[in-house]
Amino acid sequence: MSAGAGASGGRKIPPQVPPKSRDRPVSVADATEELSAVQLQGDAQGLSTPCDVKLSHITCDSFKIQWSMDPKDHVTHFFIDLNKKANVNNAKKAFKHKDVPTKLVAKAIPLPFTVKGHWFLQPRTNYTVSVQTACKLPDGEYKVSDWSETVEFCTADYSSVQLNQLLDKARNIMSDRKLPLTHFYRNQHQDYFDFMRMNHGGVLQPSIKDDGGSHGSPINGNLKGISFSANVEWNERDGPRIPIDSPYGRERFLCPAAAMFNENANLYFADLYCMYTAYHFVNLVLTTKGSEGDQFCSGKLPLLDPSNNEFLTRKKRDDGSMEFAVCQDLIVELFYTEPMKMKEGQMVSIEGHVVPSLSTENAKKDASCKMCNINK
């Protein structure tokens, strides 16, 4: 798009503003309108070009913007050109989101001001932004400046505010139904376990969390851990049991829940998502108190009461042993931040089938689901 420099003969063309979308609101401070496929052209003579564009207070869905301009300019409107930066090297993994207008207009207000909108700003995403000033003339046309320089920035991860909103969403899905469990488990191919035996002395090693789930989850790409499942299903013949199928491989490492979820562990909420399915996943992080992983999670993720939460609980029996229970309404995934000795558990082969379509590795969240997306 070209703007400001394409007009000739002193002709001033006002921006073409389409009808406002009923289902895609946007906000720039408290006075914004949505512009789709806008072309802002005109006579820039008399208005200085905005310069020294600066951004601050960048969150997952907002930022503050300011710039310098000639104080003698009579400016009535600001135009914001916001675009998602192309991710050429990682196109297949780029966060997919429905395209929405990114050309915004705001009445001139004191700088800096806030650009905010979850419809066109997504967490942990690279953007470019430039600005243009305009003066509305008595005849309704506009005189505009040249566009400023383009500034690149990246939005932030979900903050504790957004994660607590997501936690509330998860709680709204829940009922009081829980099933007892005794083991957490990790499914993988035989080659994986052989590698851990030969290269790490039979100790499962933490690795960086993949990009599966919510794009703004702070643990994605930042926290090291081992993925386990706590999922238990009800079988009419056998009662509560671990699912017999596996998305990842025929071999299963079974670890007693007490070896991981003990009194020296902290439990955090990290994510809620679905993959265009009727069922939802909740991602919990299990740390050792005071560990490096625990320090990362503290202050970033909501801390859960291990004996009183909706997802996964442990309680001490009268004889001092622990009993564990997991919810039925969500599929509970655990991200354990410590190495795990294989001798703490046992290896078994699954009775069912390997179903790769059930994998959540790098799975992209359904951005349209009202049950697991904030601001829906």
Side-chain angles (χ1 to χ4, degrees):
M1 179 186 69
S2 64
S8 61
R11 186 164 58 94
K12 297 172 280 293
I13 302 175
Q16 302 300 309
V17 183
K20 289 185 179 180
S21 169
R22 295 181 180 177
D23 59 352
R24 277 177 172 62
V26 297
S27 62
V28 179
D30 292 323
T32 64
E33 297 180 30
E34 198 173 55
L35 294 182
S36 178
V38 66
Q39 288 188 336
L40 300 175
Q41 299 178 349
D43 184 1
Q45 185 177 2
L47 286 181
S48 62
T49 302
C51 62
D52 195 24
V53 178
K54 294 180 179 179
L55 305 182
S56 62
H57 299 82
I58 299 172
T59 71
C60 65
D61 63 357
S62 68
F63 61 89
K64 282 189 175 182
I65 186 169
Q66 67 182 71
W67 60 86
S68 299
M69 57 185 176
D70 191 332
K72 296 179 181 179
D73 287 350
H74 177 63
V75 175
T76 61
H77 291 79
F78 301 144
F79 298 107
I80 310 295
D81 185 10
L82 180 67
N83 292 284
K84 188 186 296 186
K85 187 178 179 183
N87 192 346
V88 177
N89 295 327
N90 201 17
K92 292 183 179 180
K93 295 183 178 181
F95 180 55
K96 296 179 180 178
H97 194 279
K98 201 164 187 177
D99 291 336
V100 293
T102 54
K103 308 299 186 294
L104 309 170
V105 56
K107 292 181 179 179
I109 54 178
L111 300 176
F113 69 94
T114 299
V115 178
K116 181 177 177 65
H118 67 274
W119 283 112
F120 51 83
L121 282 173
Q122 300 135 28
R124 199 186 291 189
T125 304
N126 294 312
Y127 291 93
T128 62
V129 64
S130 57
V131 297
Q132 185 181 51
T133 60
C135 175
K136 189 173 184 179
L137 303 175
D139 60 4
E141 295 186 339
Y142 286 81
K143 177 171 64 176
V144 298
S145 73
D146 287 330
W147 285 99
S148 72
E149 74 272 24
T150 298
V151 175
E152 298 181 3
F153 70 101
C154 183
T155 48
D157 296 334
Y158 284 156
S159 70
S160 58
V161 173
Q162 285 82 32
L163 284 170
N164 276 293
Q165 291 173 350
L166 206 56
L167 175 56
D168 289 338
K169 288 271 190 179
R171 286 169 170 160
N172 289 336
I173 299 175
M174 304 299 300
S175 68
D176 293 330
R177 296 176 299 176
K178 283 190 172 74
L179 289 174
L181 85 161
T182 58
H183 291 77
F184 303 135
Y185 59 96
R186 176 168 173 78
N187 300 314
Q188 270 293 349
H189 297 284
Q190 185 66 51
D191 290 347
Y192 166 81
F193 294 108
D194 289 343
F195 180 85
M196 291 298 168
R197 291 188 185 96
M198 290 186 293
N199 294 276
H200 298 286
V203 179
L204 305 185
Q205 297 297 307
S207 59
I208 288 291
K209 170 69 171 65
D210 66 18
D211 291 328
S214 297
H215 194 64
S217 178
I219 69 172
N220 289 355
N222 291 318
L223 183 63
K224 285 187 175 183
I226 308 169
S227 294
F228 282 85
S229 179
N231 191 31
V232 174
E233 61 185 16
W234 177 262
N235 180 270
E236 292 296 334
R237 184 187 64 184
D238 302 325
R241 71 175 188 184
I242 293 175
I244 62 174
D245 295 329
S246 162
Y248 307 108
R250 300 205 61 84
E251 303 309 308
R252 175 174 290 170
F253 173 65
L254 286 171
C255 182
M260 295 168 56
F261 194 17
N262 51 48
E263 293 183 340
N264 196 35
N266 276 332
L267 185 67
Y268 296 90
F269 172 84
D271 201 5
L272 170 71
Y273 68 98
C274 71
M275 302 182 299
Y276 304 89
T277 56
Y279 51 88
H280 285 78
F281 298 84
V282 64
N283 200 310
L284 308 179
V285 179
L286 197 56
T287 70
T288 297
K289 293 178 181 179
S291 66
E292 183 178 349
D294 190 58
Q295 292 174 22
F296 176 90
C297 295
S298 178
K300 288 186 176 69
L301 305 180
L303 179 65
L304 301 176
D305 184 339
S307 63
N308 184 26
N309 69 80
E310 295 82 359
F311 314 110
L312 178 68
T313 57
R314 71 159 192 260
K315 294 181 180 180
K316 184 176 290 188
R317 299 188 182 98
D318 292 339
D319 63 1
S321 62
M322 291 289 186
E323 63 179 3
F324 303 90
V326 65
C327 67
Q328 280 189 273
D329 303 289
L330 296 166
I331 297 176
V332 177
E333 299 178 317
L334 279 180
F335 198 62
Y336 184 61
T337 61
E338 306 301 317
M340 170 56 62
K341 296 177 180 178
M342 293 177 65
K343 68 180 182 181
E344 295 280 355
Q346 59 178 317
M347 294 298 306
V348 298
S349 296
I350 64 169
E351 301 174 13
H353 303 282
V354 176
V355 188
S357 61
L358 299 177
S359 171
T360 60
E361 184 177 1
N362 288 311
K364 295 306 176 186
K365 180 175 182 175
D366 178 1
S368 66
C369 178
K370 295 182 178 180
M371 297 180 69
C372 63
N373 284 279
I374 57 178
N375 298 318
K376 292 286 186 184

